[in-house]
Amino acid sequence: MMPSESLRWKTLEALRNSPKGKISFDPRRWERSENILGGYKETISLSPQAGLVLDRLGSSPLQTSSFLDSSSGHSSPGLSEQTPDSIVSRESIFEINAQALQVEREQTLSDEAKDEDPETDDSEVSSPVPPPAISLLSPKAMEITGRIIKIEKEYREKAQVALRQRQEMQEKFVAELVSSGSEQLKRFEEFMELKRRQEFQSIRDMMDRETKESIGRQEKLKEEQRHRMKILNLRLREAEQQRVREAEMERQRQAEGRERLRNLNTIQEEILQLNQLLEPSSQSKNNLPPASLSSYSTRGNQLCSQVSEVVRKTAEGAFPSVDDMTAAERALHEMRALIRLLQEEVAKVQEHKKGEEEALKKQAELQVQQEAQKKAAQLAKEKARRKGLQNSAEDTTLKWYKDLQDSAAQCAQSFEQLNSPKDVQTKKLKLELQKSANIPISQIASNSGSQLREIFDKIDKLLSGRSVVSGGKSVSTSQHPQGLDFVSYKLAEKFVKQGEEEVASHHEAAFPIAVVASGIWELHPRVGDLLLAHLHKKCPYAVPHYPPMKDGTSVEEYQKILGYRVDDSGIEGQDSFLKRMSGMIRLYAAVIQLRWPYGSKQGSAPHGLNHGWRWLAQMLNMEPLADITATLLFDFLEVCGHALMKQYQSQFWKLILLLKEEYFPRIEAVTSSGQMGSVIRLKQFLETSLQRGEIKPPNGQLSSSFWRS
């Protein structure tokens, strides 16, 4: 605590312990006109310090105040000890003290105003406030008042000095603060400028790096683009050269085909002209024996039929092959030789009959003519009756059928070691390969095109020797020497099994299964041959082939050959048998008209519509079988009829008309009353198709939107 404060508290303590300090103050005494010192009983006298008060108050004449109010009724006991001049009233003492304090406050305020505004007019300072007139004070009061005034003056002077020092310190602090702030602001501005330059430099460096990187990437992309363009140009040139070669080969093939076709037409025309020389009407004047004329005529007709068969193949849109031309030329040479023989025989007969009578000659000629006409009519009727109605397939078809079966048997024999494994590892590999072949085909249904493509890619990878994941394990055909043959065999077997089970129950499933099978066939022809072998073995009518019953063959064994299932419970029922045959024929009819949409599509399909046309034509050339012929014809035409109609057009409708008018009555003739369901369906299909002049697309056919899904 400062000394001034210690003195201040001492002064206040002395005032509090003085008799006046114990007076209770009531602010309402003035309102009630009561004396403020009414409770003060001590004798009032002047203080030894009264002189200071008087000097401070100025030279104003003292005004004598009255003594204490007479209403108080008594005086202080010490009043008699004082001189009369020193005795004053309590009110006068209070007034003097109050006036002294008021003067002191005004003087303090005036001094402060002078310190703050030294330019204030001197007139205002020099005109002191006239002190109030006071009465005589007691010495003690004057002493106390003087001390108070003196202490206040000392404190005021100290306060002014401290205030000035504080103001100087504050001004100095503010100046230092302003200087420091200015310096800091300069440093901050310099720092911000440096930071801005650094950021600008970093951005410029980053832009330079990005520019260099961008230029490098552009150069790299340009180089890659030039490399790709170079490769693309090479491929385009190769493709163009290949296209030119293929186009040249195709033009050459077309030219050769047209040349062979012209030669074939010339041969046919010449054979027909030569055949006319063999007719009885043209040879009646030569007096040949009837038997000789009949043999020549029959042989001539046979040669004409051979050439007509070759010409009939060309009507399907194909050019005659070299073998066809060889057969036609052989027939022409034989016909010319036959004419030479006939001419030689005619010459001999003429020489032999030269001496006979004219009447006998005419009669003989008449008889020969009549007999020749009858014979020709009979031959024509017999030929019309037997035309195309065999009980077995053609020799070339049977040879093809047997070759496929032999190839499948050789394939099965090649993986005998894998089929009958001796160690556990080979047995596990066999099971994994079989699952990897069967599971993807089992998943084929009317899925979206993307899912079907995943299945196709998985099968293609397996057949290409690459690893595929099956059941969480990786497996490849390259893990065993016979792995590829085993997988190819099992895939073909599974495709056919899907036909006799899945397609037989859901006809629409034929198309997704067939398009995958066709795509695999195109990339891996071995699988296609095995598929045909399995199909012909389970459904010989897909050849078409009606296997004859050989001597020593049991009924059960023969039923197996015909396609029936035979087990311990006996032979399969007719309905189940027809359902399975229908499913396999529908699958075959879908395969021949579909191609995998993501393949190269260069060249013809591996097993296209021409095989469907061949199958249908050979079916109509064979004697119908009860129930099975009508069922297979209906299923085949319902699935493949629309595609055949678009491909062969008028030729197809001629075949349908032949089926309706000539072949269908034969089907009805061999069908019993309890088996007419399939016959009725076929009849309605033929009648509806002929009436509309079209065959509607089959249900479930894959559209372009299917492959976008």
Side-chain angles (χ1 to χ4, degrees):
M1 184 179 293
M2 298 177 63
S4 61
E5 292 181 359
S6 176
L7 292 174
R8 187 183 305 161
W9 285 107
K10 288 179 181 181
T11 303
L12 291 175
E13 184 67 25
L15 290 174
R16 190 181 296 112
N17 294 329
S18 68
K20 288 183 181 180
K22 297 179 181 180
I23 297 175
S24 59
F25 175 74
D26 186 1
R28 297 190 178 276
R29 285 184 179 183
W30 295 101
E31 298 176 2
R32 297 193 298 268
S33 300
E34 293 180 2
N35 191 356
I36 194 170
L37 297 177
Y40 183 69
K41 303 297 183 181
E42 188 177 351
T43 303
I44 301 174
S45 61
L46 291 174
S47 172
Q49 304 292 333
L52 295 173
V53 176
L54 294 176
D55 292 339
R56 185 72 176 268
L57 294 175
S59 59
S60 300
L62 294 174
Q63 297 180 0
T64 305
S65 63
S66 63
F67 289 98
L68 296 173
D69 190 4
S70 59
S71 62
S72 62
H74 61 274
S75 62
S76 174
L79 187 59
S80 60
E81 298 177 3
Q82 304 294 334
T83 61
D85 297 334
S86 65
I87 299 172
V88 293
S89 65
R90 294 188 184 102
E91 291 84 349
S92 299
I93 294 172
F94 179 79
E95 291 174 359
I96 290 171
N97 291 335
Q99 290 174 359
L101 292 173
Q102 180 69 24
V103 169
E104 185 67 23
R105 282 193 296 270
E106 291 176 357
Q107 184 66 29
T108 302
L109 293 174
S110 176
D111 294 340
E112 291 176 358
K114 286 180 181 181
D115 293 337
E116 292 176 359
D117 191 7
E119 296 179 359
T120 309
D121 191 3
D122 294 337
S123 63
E124 295 179 2
V125 179
S126 61
S127 58
V129 179
I134 62 173
S135 300
L136 294 177
L137 298 173
S138 65
K140 191 173 183 179
M142 291 297 290
E143 182 181 4
I144 293 171
T145 304
R147 288 178 180 177
I148 291 172
I149 292 171
K150 185 178 181 179
I151 291 170
E152 287 178 351
K153 184 177 181 180
E154 292 174 356
Y155 280 26
R156 188 179 298 111
E157 290 174 355
K158 292 180 180 179
Q160 289 176 356
V161 171
L163 179 61
R164 283 193 295 272
Q165 291 177 354
R166 185 176 181 85
Q167 286 178 349
E168 291 174 358
M169 291 175 63
Q170 188 71 21
E171 289 173 357
K172 185 178 180 180
F173 175 76
V174 169
E176 292 176 354
L177 186 63
V178 170
S179 177
S180 175
S182 177
E183 291 297 327
Q184 289 181 359
L185 180 60
K186 290 180 181 179
R187 301 291 85 76
F188 178 77
E189 290 176 350
E190 291 173 357
F191 175 75
M192 293 302 294
E193 180 66 21
L194 176 62
K195 189 174 181 180
R196 185 185 64 79
R197 289 197 302 271
Q198 289 176 349
E199 290 178 352
F200 178 77
Q201 184 65 30
S202 64
I203 291 174
R204 188 169 60 187
D205 294 341
M206 183 177 66
M207 291 177 65
D208 291 339
R209 287 194 302 271
E210 289 180 352
T211 302
K212 291 179 181 178
E213 292 175 358
S214 178
I215 293 173
R217 287 195 298 269
Q218 289 179 359
E219 291 297 329
K220 187 176 180 180
L221 289 174
K222 288 180 180 178
E223 183 63 28
E224 292 177 354
Q225 182 67 18
R226 285 193 293 269
H227 183 65
R228 284 197 295 268
M229 289 300 296
K230 184 177 179 181
I231 294 175
L232 184 60
N233 290 333
L234 289 175
R235 290 180 178 175
L236 287 175
R237 283 197 295 270
E238 291 175 358
E240 182 64 21
Q241 292 173 0
Q242 181 67 20
R243 187 188 65 79
V244 170
R245 286 195 299 269
E246 290 178 354
E248 184 64 28
M249 292 175 63
E250 180 64 20
R251 284 195 298 271
Q252 185 177 357
R253 188 183 68 82
Q254 292 284 343
E256 292 175 355
R258 285 191 291 270
E259 183 64 26
R260 287 196 297 269
L261 183 59
R262 285 194 293 269
N263 294 336
L264 180 62
N265 292 333
T266 303
I267 291 172
Q268 185 183 22
E269 182 180 3
E270 185 176 355
I271 285 181
L272 291 175
Q273 292 176 355
L274 294 176
N275 188 48
Q276 290 179 357
L277 299 177
L278 299 178
E279 292 296 329
S281 59
S282 62
Q283 296 296 333
S284 59
K285 59 182 179 179
N286 293 329
N287 299 322
L288 290 177
S292 180
L293 282 176
S294 177
S295 62
Y296 284 117
S297 178
T298 303
R299 185 55 185 165
N301 290 330
Q302 290 176 354
L303 294 175
C304 289
S305 298
Q306 291 179 6
V307 177
S308 298
E309 184 67 25
V310 175
V311 173
R312 191 178 300 112
K313 292 180 182 179
T314 62
E316 299 174 4
F319 291 115
S321 63
V322 177
D323 295 336
D324 294 337
M325 292 302 298
T326 302
E329 290 173 356
R330 189 184 303 114
L332 178 60
H333 293 320
E334 190 174 350
M335 178 64 79
R336 289 172 179 173
L338 189 64
I339 292 297
R340 285 196 299 270
L341 291 175
L342 178 62
Q343 291 174 351
E344 292 175 357
E345 188 173 353
V346 168
K348 292 178 181 179
V349 169
Q350 289 177 352
E351 290 177 359
H352 181 71
K353 295 290 184 178
K354 190 176 182 180
E356 294 183 357
E357 295 181 358
E358 190 66 21
L360 293 175
K361 186 184 297 184
K362 290 181 180 180
Q363 185 178 1
E365 289 177 359
L366 182 59
Q367 291 177 354
V368 169
Q369 185 178 4
Q370 291 175 352
E371 290 177 0
Q373 289 176 353
K374 291 180 181 180
K375 192 67 175 180
Q378 291 177 358
L379 289 174
K381 291 180 180 179
E382 186 68 15
K383 182 179 179 182
R385 187 179 65 82
R386 294 183 179 179
K387 184 179 180 181
L389 300 180
Q390 299 91 9
N391 290 322
S392 62
E394 296 179 354
D395 294 340
T396 55
T397 303
L398 288 176
K399 184 179 183 302
W400 174 59
Y401 163 73
K402 291 178 181 179
D403 290 342
L404 289 174
Q405 297 303 317
D406 293 342
S407 176
Q410 291 176 2
C411 181
Q413 188 177 3
S414 66
F415 59 80
E416 184 65 27
Q417 180 183 357
L418 185 60
N419 205 26
S420 302
K422 296 181 180 180
D423 57 313
V424 179
Q425 190 68 24
T426 306
K427 185 176 182 180
K428 289 183 179 179
L429 177 61
K430 173 202 170 185
L431 293 176
E432 293 298 330
L433 288 174
Q434 188 166 355
K435 285 195 296 183
S436 63
N438 291 340
I439 291 176
I441 299 177
S442 300
Q443 295 173 347
I444 298 175
S446 298
N447 299 350
S448 63
S450 58
Q451 293 174 339
L452 210 61
R453 190 171 185 180
E454 291 178 3
I455 294 173
F456 177 86
D457 292 340
K458 188 173 183 180
I459 298 174
D460 180 43
K461 287 174 63 178
L462 182 65
L463 290 171
S464 300
R466 291 176 288 175
S467 297
V468 296
V469 178
S470 177
K473 297 181 181 179
S474 179
V475 65
S476 171
T477 56
S478 59
Q479 293 176 279
H480 195 276
Q482 289 83 39
L484 181 59
D485 289 339
F486 177 77
V487 169
S488 300
Y489 190 89
K490 291 300 178 181
L491 280 171
E493 186 178 44
K494 185 62 177 178
F495 273 121
V496 176
K497 190 174 183 181
Q498 285 294 98
E500 67 174 334
E501 293 179 358
E502 181 68 22
V503 180
S505 301
H506 306 91
H507 293 168
E508 294 81 2
F511 292 95
I513 297 173
V515 75
V516 175
S518 178
I520 296 298
W521 194 337
E522 189 168 356
L523 294 178
H524 307 278
R526 173 75 164 166
V527 179
D529 293 340
L530 292 172
L531 189 151
L532 281 178
H534 283 290
L535 180 66
H536 293 169
K537 185 175 181 180
K538 289 190 174 184
C539 179
Y541 312 101
V543 178
H545 175 49
Y546 304 156
M549 186 174 182
K550 299 180 181 179
D551 296 337
T553 305
S554 63
V555 176
E556 290 80 4
E557 188 66 27
Y558 182 62
Q559 293 292 345
K560 282 185 179 181
I561 296 174
L562 292 178
Y564 287 87
R565 286 178 176 173
V566 180
D567 51 20
D568 296 338
S569 60
I571 301 175
E572 179 184 20
Q574 186 69 7
D575 292 340
S576 175
F577 168 73
L578 292 176
K579 183 178 180 181
R580 289 192 305 106
M581 298 299 110
S582 173
M584 287 185 280
I585 281 295
R586 283 180 175 272
L587 177 63
Y588 179 68
V591 167
I592 63 178
Q593 63 176 306
L594 292 177
R595 295 190 70 177
W596 181 246
Y598 301 106
S600 61
K601 294 186 179 179
Q602 293 182 357
S604 59
H607 199 77
L609 282 173
N610 57 323
H611 291 274
W613 180 268
R614 178 197 59 80
W615 182 87
L616 184 59
Q618 290 193 9
M619 279 291 290
L620 299 183
N621 284 334
M622 299 177 69
E623 287 288 350
L625 299 179
D627 219 1
I628 185 66
T629 301
T631 300
L632 297 184
L633 284 174
F634 171 75
D635 291 325
F636 183 84
L637 289 174
E638 189 177 45
V639 175
C640 195
H642 180 75
L644 290 173
M645 176 193 70
K646 293 175 64 177
Q647 178 73 20
Y648 295 102
Q649 299 178 0
S650 61
Q651 296 294 328
F652 173 75
W653 288 113
K654 291 179 181 179
L655 199 64
I656 293 297
L657 191 62
L658 175 67
L659 170 60
K660 174 66 173 58
E661 294 181 353
E662 297 185 15
Y663 195 74
F664 187 77
R666 293 179 178 274
I667 296 176
E668 290 180 320
V670 299
T671 305
S672 61
S673 58
Q675 300 173 333
M676 293 300 292
S678 58
V679 176
I680 293 173
R681 285 194 298 271
L682 177 61
K683 183 178 181 180
Q684 292 175 349
F685 177 83
L686 294 174
E687 290 177 350
T688 303
S689 300
L690 289 170
Q691 288 175 359
R692 293 180 178 177
E694 66 172 356
I695 296 178
K696 64 178 183 179
N699 296 329
Q701 191 172 14
L702 305 181
S703 60
S704 57
S705 60
F706 172 83
W707 298 106
R708 292 194 297 268
S709 60

